[in-house]
């Protein structure tokens, strides 16, 4: 029963938190650029407006894929709040990612096609890192379940600092921030227009956006696990991490997927492996 | 088989102007790039047949709204040469000041757009923020931010008061400081270099043979700057063409960055040497029969006007060759083999202005 | 007009342009003007160390003009432009847009020649 | 990451944003904004119409009508500078956007056919007054309102 | 309640798309300048999206010619309702100085319906902001009428 | 029970003979259908049986063990003949060595008492189900397929009799293989599959088909040789041919473990593990039902079965780790090679090898969790993969190409096939379906071994990529009123059955686990509650996930099917769309058609460059593995 209540809280709070984070993000980004920026509630206005727009698609697959993306993202957040298995949560989240890609590929538009391919490259880059992070958690707690994390005496961060850094790569990719914002970017000034999102419009774009909020919450939740012992430090860790994300977003050029693959596989995986070896040894 | 054909333009967010490239890519490597033009073609050269030669100044300014001043200067100088009009020294120097202000704003604008081309939005914002001071100077001294309309045949229509000059000097000091603060980012930042160094390389020979112009040519190591012809007030100023040798996008952006500082310096020199005197010479009659070939240096490079007069107030032929027109063949040569993500960077690196290309 | 002007004919133009290239000149552009009812003047502008040289070619519009795009690739765009604006043909143009560089079928006049209709597209 | 000092500086300083339209800064006095005419001073000489590079002014000397298409005007100020009576002026703020196309039409008093004027503009006929005045006035009001 | 939130949101989140229809760049760069720190139209929730399918408001600069009129029409058709069109600058309004040239069709309203005309050559960023504000008013009005 | 076993093994052989000698297509069709039905029934019936070892006394008065020995040599003789015919020294050498060693083994070493020939346990039960049901469906699919196939080839004389002969024989051999309890019997069936696969791969008799079949034969002969060596080494230590006895004893010293190592190596060759993957890839020249049969449910599964079967015999040894690492390496290497492929069957081939690697890795990990993962993977992989093979076959016959780039937008013309293929792909890579569940267990089991987990993590990501893009490119718009797609009943039946099976069995997986797998272990890895599999290390909420995602997906499908009410617009093409969907006005004012291609990461994952590297690494790993056993 408790689990069910937690799941419902997660499902409701997910988009609220995700939307607020997105709004804050835009505001802080504006400050970094010496601008005033939009209201904090802007993301909600955007999505509400999109929901009120005319429904327009290239074909029915897009409708299907947008919905499945949202549902999978929501389910993964639900599972997270239900203290589920990290790997399962991740795979459920991957359902969404795959459907987003497939929906983009259903349209005869080179932009969404290439965007979809790049999205796949991103999955290729972050998936191994995330799995290794979960393995790290398993090695520390003896389980892949989130519930085990709360029983720790010492924050995960103390044992897996390098894995946290590697997680940073995955976080940046998932949040679609520079230097990894090539499958689609927040500002439409990209060689691929809106990349993987080019053909989603109106209410379906809103679904994708809400799903993205869920994903943001999921990945922030993942970060939160790293300081599970103290709420204050957890908040500080999250704030610091996100602030760093915004800073990185604002001080780096967009790179290419080739660069990303090499970088994340060498550095991200490298750091993860070093940290893992340490955990295995210890 | 795994070829993707990408219609790059005419409406495309990284190309603020409508132009089209059909890109054939494999694994995001460009194999072939074919352009399509004509989305901005208006046919304004032909307007010379129905507008008189004074009115054509306003038309020529609108060949391109970014370096409008310099188009007007080039056109006016051509007509003045044809009609053998002596332009007052003060007017010549004022033309230099506004031309260099235009070059500054154009380069700052470009640096911003270039940053945007590799997804560095904050840097774009920063350059455009700095640029607004130049726009304010334009607006305060000429009455318009972009298309300033201060040229007339024989001179200029506006003047600078001593207070304005003092204010301008103060403003450009600030601009220079803020621009210099960005030097490290645009020239040395790791991610910026990763996106520009070695991208779109144009060798010195190719740049020359393909007829590149302006910073594109100078970035490949050819020291050619039409201002060295010494037209207008430039003969009295002290400067050297800015040259980089690596021929890649980094070199082109560095040339423009250094030219921005050079232009600010030229504004200072011109103000220091601003003589007293008339603003415009009296112009009587119509351009006589004859031909004139006039070249000036625009922010994007060498701009050529060919004018044929016939003794009436309408010109027989007005022909404009703009720098972007010259830079398109080199662009086509640079694209094959690059990554799709580098296409915007390479395209932007020639500082395309399609409006003036197609007129 | 400043700079040296050399008169050429359709027979000699490619050779002269080749000579300019071998001399290390940069092709700047061509300019065109109307000579008479069906005559077209083309000026080939060259630059070397800020010195200008012009080749002047006068042709009738109904005969094809030898293209120099094989010598200077950069001539491709301007030759296509002239093709659009004067309805002339170039022999050996590297990439011939066939009068679609700027013009659409809606424009029925040859732009820079008065009272000449564009032939309907095949 | 070399850009970090700049963004931090931006973060610590007040945003550079001008809060237009909530606060409007003092316009530059020279700005060539909205063109308007002091119709009472106009002598309907047509100079402005002839000099306008955009050819957007029409002057009907016989009826005393001066009209300009503000949508076609390029705000170059040539007309203002060449008007012999200096009856054309430009505000230092831009013309406000409109939801419909309008035409500025001003009706004034056509000059009496004097001998001197007759040389330049032959046979300007005397005109019954204010036939179209109402129409002109209403359009003018419309134009100004926006 | 949600319906009224959507209605309110429409005015608070106008995503614009800029299409340069053969402009001299004068107006273009002023449109771009609107996004930059000194004008920052993101204050009003405005995002410059490069894609008609995401746009609410189409900002058009420049003269229409025979080639780009098809593009203009196409883009307009790909925008989902409700939508508004703002023609910017003398060129967008009427064709401007170029309207007598042989390849010029004229203003934007020759091809698609225009909701707001922003005069100027080029239109100042302030004028463009005013134009968007007027456009939003028109937008709300159109939605009312449709309902 | 004994009747059922004979039915499962001998009926296919008899049916095969019927197909071969009665050259009527109607009879053939009936035979195949009937065999399929009976095999299915028999395998299901076996489920309800008491399991106990079974001894086969004599057949027609000849002692059965002797009969098998004779048949062994006869088989080797046939293979040697083919070696001579195709001038392959490798085949000749390997077979001669095998024959010599086998003779020595049987005549000198073995002093056996009677050993039960057959035994049924959980693993073999599942294998029998897989072989009998999926194998039968594939054979049924082959009926219309081969008809059309021969029409394409314009054959004068139908060669379907041979074809179905070997197909059905294969099923029998497989059933025999998985049920054998006598290691010599196992070896016999192992060799039968080698010969059948050789015949089937070379079925089309094109130059390339023959070349590839010869390659398959020599590699599998090497496997046979390795099997014989392994058998001898193991026997020399434990002194019995009884597999259950061998397993019960666990690892017994270096020599015996090395012997098991050789048996595993034999399994590797059969399961086409790197560096032996090339035979399986080459086998793709065969008609698609062959690929489906060989590479989803039978031949290659024989390989992993051997490795899995002997898992208890090497548990806790270095060999076990070696097997795990080799398997994980194959998983990663083939996933990487797969990224670069656009040939649909090659993708399936690499993905098969890759998944087999994962199963072998699980066997090597050798914990209850890992063994559960292995068995579930065998089951679900067989279903989904055979479905996909059949889909590719159907598509190939429809569009004349097996290149996935040519399948772009398949939905527009062939909505049924495309949808089934998409579902097939989804069941291969996403939760809550069985293959992913297996992968999940494998990852959780592998987390204890750093080498394994790193390779699994990377391989898992690569897998996601090559499936997702294939699934995506099949989707497309379909014009209203486009012609309906026709599918022959015998094509539809296997496709729909497999498709449904993949989904329903995934949903039922907790109960499958509970009833069939949990009894295998003293300490079952999972507890079942609310339809979730719970363990200390993690839990997979199968039924809740099915409910959440399934209901969600149903809602999404409903929303999508209302698409006619939504405005349909052309895709965005920078504003230059021409009339037709996807076409735009390009240079010279002319139309340019849509064209898109996947990224194949040519510079990173070039098959030609990577294969030698992977092969070398794999050889090194295998040497290490065998060395580790000593
Ligand atoms: S293209 Fe170049 S010359 Fe032409 S207007 Fe633009 S900047 Fe000026
Ligand atoms: S020249 Fe530059 S600023 Fe002007 S429209 Fe093109 S990209 Fe934009
Ligand atoms: S033309 Fe001159 S006199 Fe006449 S109304 Fe205008 S300003 Fe007055
Ligand atoms: S006097 Fe004649 S030329 Fe002068 S303003 Fe009047 S009408 Fe024009
Ligand atoms: S300001 Fe310029 S364009 Fe406008 S009416 Fe006057 S002369 Fe014409
Ligand atoms: S700004 Fe408008 S009215 Fe003025 S010249 Fe240009 S097009 Fe004509
Ligand atoms: S030039 Fe002045 S006086 Fe003459 S018509 Fe124009 S506004 Fe009137
Ligand atoms: S209105 Fe003026 S500034 Fe704007 S595009 Fe047209 S000519 Fe350029």
């Amino acid at each position: 029963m408790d689990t069910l209540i937690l799941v419902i809280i997660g499902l409701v709070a997910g988009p609220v938190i995700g939307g607020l984070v997105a709004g804050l993000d835009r505001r802080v980004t504006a400050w970094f650029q010496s601008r005033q920026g939009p209201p904090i509630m802007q993301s909600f206005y955007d999505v509400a407006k999109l929901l009120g727009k005319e429904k327009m698609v290239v074909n029915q697959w897009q409708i299907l894929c947008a919905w499945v993306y949202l549902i999978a993202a929501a389910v993964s957040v639900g599972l997270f709040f239900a203290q589920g298995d990290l790997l399962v949560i991740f795979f459920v989240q991957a359902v969404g990612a795959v459907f987003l890609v497939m929906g983009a590929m259903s349209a005869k538009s080179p932009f969404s096609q290439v965007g979809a391919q790049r999205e796949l490259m991103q999955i290729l880059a972050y998936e191994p890192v995330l799995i290794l992070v979960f393995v790290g958690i398993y090695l520390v707690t003896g389980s892949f379940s989130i519930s085990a994390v709360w029983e720790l005496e010492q924050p995960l961060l103390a044992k897996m600092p390098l894995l946290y850094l590697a997680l940073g790569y995955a976080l940046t990719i998932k949040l679609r921030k520079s230097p990894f914002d090539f499958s689609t970017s927040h500002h439409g000034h990209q060689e691929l227009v809106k990349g993987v999102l080019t053909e989603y419009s109106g209410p379906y774009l809103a679904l994708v956006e809400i799903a993205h909020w869920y994903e943001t919450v999921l990945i922030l939740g993942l970060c939160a696990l790293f300081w599970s012992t103290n709420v204050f430090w957890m908040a500080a860790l999250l704030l610091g991490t996100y602030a760093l994300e915004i800073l990185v977003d604002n001080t780096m050029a967009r790179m290419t997927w080739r660069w990303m693959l090499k970088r994340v596989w060498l550095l991200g995986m490298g750091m993860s492996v070093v940290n893992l070896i340490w955990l295995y040894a210890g | 088989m795994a070829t993707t054909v990408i219609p790059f333009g005419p409406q495309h967010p990284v190309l603020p102007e409508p132009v089209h490239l059909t890109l054939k890519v494999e694994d995001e490597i460009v194999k072939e790039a074919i352009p399509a033009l004509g989305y901005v073609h208006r046919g304004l050269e032909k307007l010379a047949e129905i507008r008189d030669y004074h009115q054509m100044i306003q038309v020529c300014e609108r060949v391109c709204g970014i370096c409008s001043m310099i188009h007007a200067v080039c056109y006016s100088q051509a007509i003045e040469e044809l009609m053998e009009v002596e332009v007052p020294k003060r007017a010549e120097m004022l033309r230099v000041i506004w031309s260099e202000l235009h070059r500054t704003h154009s380069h700052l604008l470009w640096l911003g757009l270039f940053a945007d081309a590799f997804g560095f939005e904050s840097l774009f914002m920063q350059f455009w923020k700095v640029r607004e001071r130049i726009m304010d100077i334009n607006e305060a001294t000429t009455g318009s931010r972009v298309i300033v309309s201060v040229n007339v045949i024989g001179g200029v229509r506006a003047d600078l008061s001593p207070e304005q000059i003092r204010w301008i000097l103060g403003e450009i000091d600030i601009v220079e400081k803020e621009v210099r603060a960005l030097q490290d980012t645009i020239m040395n930042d790791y991610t910026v270099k990763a996106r520009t160094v070695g991208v779109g390389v144009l060798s010195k020979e190719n740049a020359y043979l393909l007829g590149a112009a302006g910073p594109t040519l100078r970035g490949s190591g050819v020291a050619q700057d039409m201002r060295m012809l010494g037209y207008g007030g430039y003969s009295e100023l002290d400067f050297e063409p800015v040259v980089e040798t690596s021929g890649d996008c980094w070199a082109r952006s560095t040339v423009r960055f250094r030219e921005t500082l050079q232009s600010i310096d030229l504004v200072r020199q011109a103000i220091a040497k601003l003589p007293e005197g008339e603003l415009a010479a009296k112009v009587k009659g119509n351009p006589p029969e004859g031909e004139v070939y006039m070249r000036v240096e625009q922010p994007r490079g060498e701009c050529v006007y060919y004018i044929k007069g016939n003794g009436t107030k309408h010109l027989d032929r007005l022909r404009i060759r703009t720098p972007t027109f010259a830079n398109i063949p080199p662009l086509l040569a640079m694209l094959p083999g690059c990554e799709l993500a580098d296409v915007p960077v390479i395209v932007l690196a020639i500082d395309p202005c399609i409006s003036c290309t197609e007129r | 007009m400043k700079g040296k002007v050399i008169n050429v004919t359709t027979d000699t133009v490619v050779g002269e342009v080749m000579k300019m290239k071998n001399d290390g000149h940069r092709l700047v552009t061509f300019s065109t003007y109307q000579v008479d009812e069906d005559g077209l003047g083309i000026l080939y502008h060259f630059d070397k160390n800020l010195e200008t040289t012009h080749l002047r070619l006068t042709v009738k519009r109904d005969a094809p003009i030898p293209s120099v795009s094989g010598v200077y690739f950069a001539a491709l765009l301007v030759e296509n432009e002239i093709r659009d604006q004067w309805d002339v043909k170039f022999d050996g143009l590297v990439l011939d847009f066939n009068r679609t560089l700027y013009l659409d079928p809606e424009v029925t006049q040859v732009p820079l020649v008065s009272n000449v209709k564009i032939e309907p597209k095949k | 990451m070399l850009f970090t000092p700049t963004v931090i500086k931006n973060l610590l300083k007040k945003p550079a944003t001008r809060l237009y339209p909530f606060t409007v800064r003092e316009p530059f006095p020279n700005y060539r904004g909205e063109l308007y005419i002091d119709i009472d001073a106009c002598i309907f000489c047509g100079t402005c119409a002839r000099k306008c590079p955009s050819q957007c002014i029409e002057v009907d000397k016989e009826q005393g009508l001066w009209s300009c298409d503000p949508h076609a005007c390029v705000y170059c100020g040539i007309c203002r500078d060449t008007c012999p009576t200096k009856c054309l002026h430009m505000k230092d703020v831009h013309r406000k956007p409109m939801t419909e196309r309008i035409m500025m039409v001003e009706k004034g008093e056509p000059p009496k056919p004097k001998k001197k004027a007759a040389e330049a503009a032959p046979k300007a006929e005397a005109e019954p007054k204010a036939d179209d005045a109402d129409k002109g006035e209403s359009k003018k009001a419309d134009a100004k309102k926006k | 309640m949600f319906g009224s939130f959507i209605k309110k949101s429409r005015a608070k989140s106008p995503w614009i798309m800029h299409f340069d229809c053969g402009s001299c760049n004068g107006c273009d760069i002023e449109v771009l300048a609107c996004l930059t720190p000194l004008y920052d139209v993101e204050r009003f929730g405005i995002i410059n999206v490069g894609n008609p399918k995401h746009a609410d408001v189409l900002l058009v600069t420049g003269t229409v010619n025979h080639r780009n009129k098809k593009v203009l029409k196409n883009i307009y058709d790909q925008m989902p309702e409700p939508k508004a069109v703002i023609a910017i600058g003398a060129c967008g309004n009427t064709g401007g100085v170029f309207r007598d040239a042989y390849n010029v069709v004229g203003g934007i309203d020759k091809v698609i319906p225009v909701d707001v005309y922003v005069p100027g050559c080029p239109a100042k960023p302030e004028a463009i902001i005013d134009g968007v504000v007027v456009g939003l008013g028109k937008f709300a009005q159109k939605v009312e009428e449709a309902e | 029970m004994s009747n059922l076993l004979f039915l499962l093994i001998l009926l296919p052989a008899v049916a095969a003979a019927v197909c071969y000698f009665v050259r009527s297509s109607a009879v053939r069709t009936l035979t195949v259908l009937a065999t399929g039905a009976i095999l299915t029934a028999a395998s299901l019936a076996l489920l309800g049986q008491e399991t106990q070892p079974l001894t086969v006394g004599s057949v027609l008065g000849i002692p059965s063990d002797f009969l098998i020995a004779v048949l062994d040599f006869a088989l080797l003789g046939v293979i040697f003949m083919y070696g001579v015919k195709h001038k392959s020294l490798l085949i000749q050498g390997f077979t001669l060595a095998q024959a010599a060693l086998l003779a020595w083994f049987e005549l000198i070493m073995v002093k056996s008492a009677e050993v039960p020939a057959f035994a049924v346990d959980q693993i073999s039960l599942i294998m029998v189900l897989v072989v009998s049901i999926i194998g039968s469906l594939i054979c049924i699919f082959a009926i219309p397929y081969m008809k059309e196939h021969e029409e394409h080839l314009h054959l004068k004389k139908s060669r379907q009799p041979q074809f179905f002969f070997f197909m059905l024989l294969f099923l029998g051999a497989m059933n025999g293989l998985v049920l054998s309890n006598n290691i010599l019997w196992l070896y016999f069936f192992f060799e039968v599959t080698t010969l059948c696969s050789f015949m089937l791969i070379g079925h089309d008799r094109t130059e390339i088909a023959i070349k590839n079949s010869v390659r398959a034969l020599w590699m599998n002969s090497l496997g046979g040789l390795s099997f014989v060596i392994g058998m001898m080494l193991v026997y020399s230590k434990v002194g019995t041919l009884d597999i259950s006895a061998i397993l019960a004893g666990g690892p017994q010293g270096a020599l015996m473990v090395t012997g098991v190592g050789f048996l595993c190596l034999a399994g590797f060759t059969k399961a086409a593990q790197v560096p032996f993957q090339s035979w399986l890839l080459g086998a793709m020249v065969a008609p698609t039902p062959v690929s489906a049969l060989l590479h989803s449910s039978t031949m290659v599964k024989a390989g992993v079965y051997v490795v899995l079967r002997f898992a208890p015999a090497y548990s806790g040894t270095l060999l076990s780790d070696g097997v795990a690492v080799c398997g994980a390496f194959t998983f990663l290497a083939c996933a990487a090679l797969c990224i670069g492929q656009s040939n649909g069957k090659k993708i399936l081939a690499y993905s098969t090898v890759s998944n087999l690697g994962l199963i072998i890795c699980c066997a090597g990990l050798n914990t209850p969790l890992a063994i559960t993962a292995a068995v579930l993977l065998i089951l679900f992989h067989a279903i989904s993969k055979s479905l996909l093979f059949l889909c590719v076959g159907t598509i190939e016959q429809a569009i004349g190409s097996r290149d996935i780039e040519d399948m772009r937008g398949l939905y527009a013309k062939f909505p049924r096939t495309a949808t089934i293929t998409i579902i097939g792909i989804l069941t291969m890579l996403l939760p809550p379906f069985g293959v992913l569940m297996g992968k999940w267990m494998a990852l959780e089991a592998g987390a204890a071994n750093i080498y394994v987990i790193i390779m699994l993590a990377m391989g898992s990501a690569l897998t996601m990529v090559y499936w997702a893009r294939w699934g995506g490119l099949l989707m497309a718009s379909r014009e209203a009123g486009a012609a309906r797609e026709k599918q022959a009943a015998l094509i539809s039946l296997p496709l729909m059955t497999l498709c449904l099976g993949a989904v329903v069995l995934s949903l039922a997986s907790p109960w499958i686990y509970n009833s069939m797998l949990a009894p295998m272990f003293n300490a079952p890895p999972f507890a079942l509650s609310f339809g979730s599999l719970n363990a200390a290390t993690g839990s997979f909420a199968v039924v809740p996930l099915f409910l959440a995602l399934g209901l969600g997906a149903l809602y999404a499908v409903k929303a999508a099917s209302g698409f006619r009410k939504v405005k349909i617009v052309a895709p965005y093409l920078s504003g230059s769309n021409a009339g037709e969907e996807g076409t735009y006005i390009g240079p010279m004012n002319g139309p340019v058609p849509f064209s898109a291609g996947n990224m194949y990461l040519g510079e990173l994952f070039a098959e030609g460059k990577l294969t030698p590297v992977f092969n070398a690494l794999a050889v090194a790993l295998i040497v290490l593995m065998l060395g580790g056993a000593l």
Side-chain angles (χ1 to χ4, degrees), chain D residues 46-128:
Chain D
T47 309
C48 52
R50 263 177 284 115
K51 297 280 184 185
C52 171
S54 182
Q55 296 289 290
C56 58
I57 302 180
E58 273 177 42
V59 177
D60 188 334
K61 189 164 185 173
E62 290 163 23
Q63 312 220 1
L65 284 178
W66 181 94
S67 63
C68 170
D69 182 352
H71 298 283
C73 170
V74 294
Y75 302 88
C76 60
I78 301 280
C79 52
R80 174 192 63 181
D81 292 0
T82 50
C83 173
T85 63
K86 301 285 170 238
C87 65
L88 286 171
H89 307 277
M90 289 175 120
K91 293 185 184 164
D92 56 10
V93 293
H94 57 270
R95 182 183 279 281
K96 293 283 183 248
M98 292 153 274
T99 53
E100 304 285 337
R101 282 269 287 270
I102 58 154
M103 195 72 184
M104 293 162 68
V105 184
E106 303 276 346
K107 171 107 177 117
E109 191 118 343
K112 302 263 146 45
K114 285 187 215 153
K115 269 176 200 154
K116 245 189 207 168
E119 284 172 40
K123 299 267 156 97
E125 272 160 43
E127 182 79 18

Side-chain angles (χ1 to χ4, degrees), chain B residues 87-232:
Chain B
V87 181
K89 288 281 175 236
R90 184 174 178 87
E92 281 192 339
M93 217 40 117
L94 284 170
R95 280 179 177 176
V96 169
I97 293 171
W98 281 309
S99 294
E100 292 308 317
L101 285 171
H102 262 72
R103 196 182 314 279
T104 312
H105 106 71
S106 173
H107 278 354
L108 288 173
L109 168 148
W110 178 85
L111 285 162
L113 287 173
F114 187 60
D116 208 39
F118 49 74
F120 204 152
E121 205 206 7
S122 302
L123 188 56
F124 159 74
M125 293 287 181
Q126 194 67 21
F127 274 119
W128 280 59
K129 182 181 134 193
V130 176
R131 170 179 170 268
E132 282 295 326
R133 285 188 193 274
I134 306 286
M135 306 316 281
D136 281 352
I137 297 176
N138 283 347
E139 190 176 345
T141 57
T142 68
S144 174
R145 283 161 52 87
V146 180
I147 296 180
V148 297
S149 273
V150 291
N151 278 282
V152 289
I153 307 296
V156 292
R157 292 164 65 189
D159 199 1
L160 296 181
S161 67
E163 303 88 75
Q164 279 178 325
I165 285 178
R166 239 173 290 123
W167 173 68
I168 292 173
L169 287 174
E171 289 288 291
I172 59 175
D173 281 348
I174 300 174
V175 171
E176 180 172 7
K177 201 173 120 243
E178 295 195 350
V179 171
R180 280 194 193 281
L182 300 176
Q183 174 161 356
D184 235 14
T185 309
I186 195 83
M187 278 161 67
N188 298 329
D189 185 78
Y190 172 76
T191 55
V192 172
K193 279 172 85 173
R195 293 304 306 278
T196 55
V197 172
V199 171
V201 179
L202 190 63
S203 69
K204 188 170 176 175
E205 295 74 51
N206 268 341
Y208 195 79
L209 278 180
L210 291 169
T216 310
L217 186 59
R218 293 195 284 277
S220 292
V222 182
Q224 199 188 45
D225 187 331
M226 289 306 136
R227 288 175 290 177
M228 300 307 283
L229 285 168
Y231 61 83

Side-chain angles (χ1 to χ4, degrees), chain A residues 54-57 59 61 71 85 88 94 105 108 110-111 113 117 124 127 135 143-144 199 257-258 269 280, chain F residues 408 440 444 447-448 450 458 460 464 476-477 536-539 552 567-569 571-572 574 598-599 601 603:
Chain A
E54 184 186 21
K55 289 180 179 171
M56 207 169 87
V57 291
N59 57 43
W61 293 103
I71 289 159
D85 184 293
V88 175
M105 286 184 75
K108 278 189 170 183
F111 301 107
Q113 295 272 347
Q117 301 288 331
L124 190 53
E127 182 168 332
V135 169
S143 167
F144 281 96
E199 298 298 334
W257 59 264
R258 285 188 163 82
M269 293 289 284
Y280 275 103
Chain F
R408 211 167 266 281
W440 166 76
E444 302 220 329
I450 187 168
M458 293 172 72
S460 164
M464 190 83 90
S477 320
T537 51
S539 58
K567 187 173 168 195
I568 303 285
V569 289
Y572 170 76
S574 297
N598 289 331
M599 294 202 285
L601 303 173
E603 76 269 32

Side-chain angles (χ1 to χ4, degrees), chain F residues 548-593:
Chain F
L549 291 176
L551 289 181
L554 279 183
Y555 177 78
V557 169
K558 189 174 155 283
S561 58
F563 73 99
R564 296 276 175 223
K565 282 181 234 121
V566 173
K567 187 173 168 195
I568 303 285
V569 289
Y572 170 76
L573 290 168
S574 297
S576 54
N577 301 54
E580 208 175 313
E581 191 198 356
T583 307
Y584 70 88
I585 303 289
M588 316 199 188
N589 251 347
V592 182

Side-chain angles (χ1 to χ4, degrees), chain A residues 29 32-35 110-111 113-115 117-118 178-179 181 187-194 249-259 263, chain B residues 4-9 12-14 26-29 116-123 125-126 129 189-192 194-195 339-342 344:
Chain A
T29 300
F32 273 140
Q33 296 171 349
S34 195
R35 295 187 287 126
F111 301 107
Q113 295 272 347
V114 180
Q117 301 288 331
R118 288 187 182 180
S178 262
D181 53 345
H187 5 280
H189 287 245
Q190 221 238 58
E191 66 273 13
L192 290 186
V193 190
K194 268 293 194 177
D249 186 30
N250 278 294
T251 54
M252 283 203 188
R254 175 185 306 125
M255 304 304 280
T256 62
W257 59 264
R258 285 188 163 82
W259 185 87
R263 184 80 14 182
Chain B
T4 305
V5 176
I6 296 180
F8 205 71
H12 193 291
V14 294
E26 278 170 26
D27 269 14
E28 289 205 15
I29 302 289
D116 208 39
F118 49 74
F120 204 152
E121 205 206 7
S122 302
L123 188 56
M125 293 287 181
Q126 194 67 21
K129 182 181 134 193
D189 185 78
Y190 172 76
T191 55
V192 172
R195 293 304 306 278
E339 268 197 69
L340 177 61
D342 291 334

